[in-house]
Amino acid sequence: MSNAAPASYPATPRTTPTRARERARYDHETVHTILDTDYICHLGFVSADGAPVVLPTLYTRVGETLYMHGSTGSRPLRDAAEGLRVCATVTRTDGLVLARSGFHHSINYRSVVAHGTAHRVTDPEEHRTALDAIIDRIVPGRSADCRPATAKELAQTAVLRLGLEEVSAKTRTGGVNDDAEDLDLPHWAGVIPVTRTLGTPIPDPDTPEDLPLPTYLRHLLRS
Amino acid sequence: MSNAAPASYPATPRTTPTRARERARYDHETVHTILDTDYICHLGFVSADGAPVVLPTLYTRVGETLYMHGSTGSRPLRDAAEGLRVCATVTRTDGLVLARSGFHHSINYRSVVAHGTAHRVTDPEEHRTALDAIIDRIVPGRSADCRPATAKELAQTAVLRLGLEEVSAKTRTGGVNDDAEDLDLPHWAGVIPVTRTLGTPIPDPDTPEDLPLPTYLRHLLRS
């Protein structure tokens, strides 16, 4: 896998009207930051009969490559050795935007949409590295603190590789975009922040009571 | 729109191996509950050149109908009057599952995948009702407390209708699924709950300071 990449992704034409605080971006930092804050992407492909399919899938980013967990039992994913056209989308919700007009109600969000041809990872070392990276996407540092996969387990776990070449980020941030003539209407307007919270860990019944939480996990819960 | 529906959705064949706590379900209650707890679905369709496209989209459920906000500027969505094959997927993440083996790491989640042919809503009353329902999906009760859309605003806002006919829910709940021979390994194992939290409302600068939070919003923030 290669980490070499252009300074920015090539822009694809968009017809979306651009509002003040809603915009498409193609810079690597924005794309990477969004991809590095979630666990699940929505992987779209076209089935043999021509229908679109969208499945939630564990993923991770390594440099300019997206790796997706493909052991869903779905034939197109299993057969992707020769290449499968996909669209992988990651979306985080950041806020509920309550405007005075129904029309301007919205959501603050960050999303990345990546198009391209995905291939099944066949190289054993890349396969293992990608699965470890998917585990570390869930909890950074975790892959070094668990039993490594056996050859049999690896064989049961398909991983798809997608180069981040045709990719864009779209975000909406900030406040309410009401029209000037609506500002005096008597409706409360503003933004309700939406955050994702990690709760108190629930140990497995077989985890010894005196086994402390690993450092990387305590670090994650504090962040 | 019709609320009539069979007692359960028809099952579509699956080849996914069923683990103890991961399963596909087709009952209405499960499907409705998942759809009624999120704001964004991932809408998949096939572009004119045959490529899959997955876009995050505001949505709501009314009875056995999914309505999706389609004013994305995307031509296939604008032209969906005659029917657009889609797959709409909603996923909530509920927990991070840390097993002793890398292989059994997972995510607790709830997802709904709906397939079918979506149509653009053309009936003015259904159009308005659907947009109000999308606002009420964000904050229940809100559509009655904002300025209704004008005819011009309605014309700028496409809504897609998808009947919930070919639909399934898939969930993973519960704890760690480690193999028996791994239970004594010295790695902490358990589940980290993931929840979505609504924060303190941020009033728009033009919202009068003495304007109280509406009752429905206080209710939502307490729930």
Side-chain angles (χ1 to χ4, degrees):
Chain A
M1 64 195 121
S2 165
N3 288 348
S8 70
Y9 302 109
T12 43
R14 290 204 165 256
T15 54
T16 312
T18 304
R19 286 193 200 159
R21 303 182 189 88
E22 184 161 14
R23 51 182 177 171
R25 298 181 59 169
Y26 304 89
D27 61 287
H28 289 249
E29 189 181 337
T30 302
V31 167
H32 292 181
T33 301
I34 295 169
L35 291 176
D36 293 352
T37 58
D38 212 336
Y39 317 110
I40 283 179
C41 75
H42 281 82
L43 177 65
F45 57 91
V46 182
S47 71
D49 71 347
V53 179
V54 180
L55 297 178
T57 308
L58 290 170
Y59 78 96
T60 195
R61 179 188 69 85
V62 176
E64 292 297 324
T65 301
L66 206 64
Y67 288 106
M68 293 166 286
H69 196 282
S71 68
T72 63
S74 176
R75 180 168 296 278
L77 302 191
R78 285 203 308 271
D79 296 349
E82 292 140 52
L84 176 71
R85 284 182 85 174
V86 301
C87 177
T89 301
V90 172
T91 308
R92 285 292 300 272
T93 302
D94 294 324
L96 315 179
V97 182
L98 275 61
R100 295 163 187 88
S101 63
F103 181 69
H104 282 301
H105 277 70
S106 190
I107 293 271
N108 279 340
Y109 69 97
R110 292 166 285 166
S111 72
V112 166
V113 177
H115 295 271
T117 299
H119 290 85
R120 185 165 173 171
V121 172
T122 52
D123 177 77
E125 189 175 323
E126 183 181 8
H127 192 179
R128 183 179 290 281
T129 303
L131 284 171
D132 281 351
I134 289 173
I135 291 172
D136 286 333
R137 175 86 292 284
I138 300 173
V139 174
R142 177 66 182 183
S143 71
D145 182 28
C146 58
R147 176 179 66 68
T150 63
K152 188 181 164 191
E153 288 170 343
L154 285 176
Q156 289 177 53
T157 314
V159 172
L160 291 183
R161 178 209 311 112
L162 175 67
L164 290 174
E165 288 156 11
E166 194 186 336
V167 59
S168 66
K170 204 169 169 203
T171 61
R172 190 202 188 279
T173 58
V176 172
N177 265 344
D178 267 321
D179 301 328
E181 59 265 34
D182 289 333
L183 293 180
D184 290 333
L185 290 176
H187 309 297
W188 187 92
V191 174
I192 320 296
V194 176
T195 51
R196 194 170 54 196
T197 308
L198 299 181
T200 305
I202 304 166
D204 181 71
D206 291 304
T207 295
E209 281 182 32
D210 58 351
L211 189 65
L213 277 184
T215 305
Y216 56 83
L217 192 49
R218 279 187 279 125
H219 180 77
L220 178 71
L221 294 171
R222 274 199 310 269
S223 68
Chain B
M1 63 195 122
S2 164
N3 289 346
S8 70
Y9 303 108
T12 43
R14 289 203 164 258
T15 55
T16 313
T18 304
R19 285 192 199 159
R21 302 182 190 87
E22 185 161 13
R23 52 182 177 171
R25 297 181 60 170
Y26 304 90
D27 62 288
H28 289 247
E29 190 181 337
T30 302
V31 167
H32 291 181
T33 300
I34 296 169
L35 291 177
D36 294 352
T37 58
D38 213 336
Y39 316 110
I40 284 179
C41 75
H42 281 82
L43 177 65
F45 57 91
V46 182
S47 71
D49 71 347
V53 179
V54 179
L55 297 177
T57 308
L58 290 171
Y59 79 96
T60 195
R61 179 188 69 84
V62 177
E64 292 297 325
T65 302
L66 206 64
Y67 288 107
M68 292 165 286
H69 197 282
S71 66
T72 63
S74 175
R75 181 167 295 279
L77 302 191
R78 285 203 308 272
D79 296 349
E82 291 139 54
L84 176 71
R85 285 182 85 173
V86 300
C87 178
T89 301
V90 172
T91 308
R92 286 292 300 271
T93 301
D94 294 324
L96 315 179
V97 182
L98 276 61
R100 295 162 186 88
S101 62
F103 181 68
H104 282 302
H105 277 68
S106 189
I107 293 272
N108 279 340
Y109 70 97
R110 292 166 285 167
S111 72
V112 166
V113 177
H115 295 271
T117 300
H119 291 84
R120 184 165 173 170
V121 172
T122 52
D123 178 77
E125 190 176 322
E126 184 181 7
H127 192 180
R128 184 178 290 279
T129 303
L131 284 172
D132 282 351
I134 289 173
I135 292 172
D136 286 333
R137 176 86 291 287
I138 301 174
V139 174
R142 177 65 182 183
S143 71
D145 182 28
C146 59
R147 175 178 67 67
T150 63
K152 188 181 165 191
E153 288 171 343
L154 285 176
Q156 288 177 52
T157 316
V159 173
L160 291 183
R161 180 209 308 114
L162 175 67
L164 290 174
E165 287 156 13
E166 194 185 336
V167 58
S168 66
K170 204 168 169 204
T171 61
R172 190 202 188 279
T173 58
V176 173
N177 265 345
D178 267 323
D179 300 328
E181 58 266 34
D182 289 333
L183 293 181
D184 290 333
L185 291 176
H187 309 297
W188 188 93
V191 175
I192 320 296
V194 176
T195 52
R196 194 170 55 198
T197 307
L198 299 181
T200 305
I202 304 166
D204 180 71
D206 291 304
T207 294
E209 280 182 33
D210 59 350
L211 189 66
L213 278 184
T215 305
Y216 56 82
L217 192 48
R218 279 186 279 124
H219 181 77
L220 178 71
L221 294 171
R222 274 200 310 268
S223 68

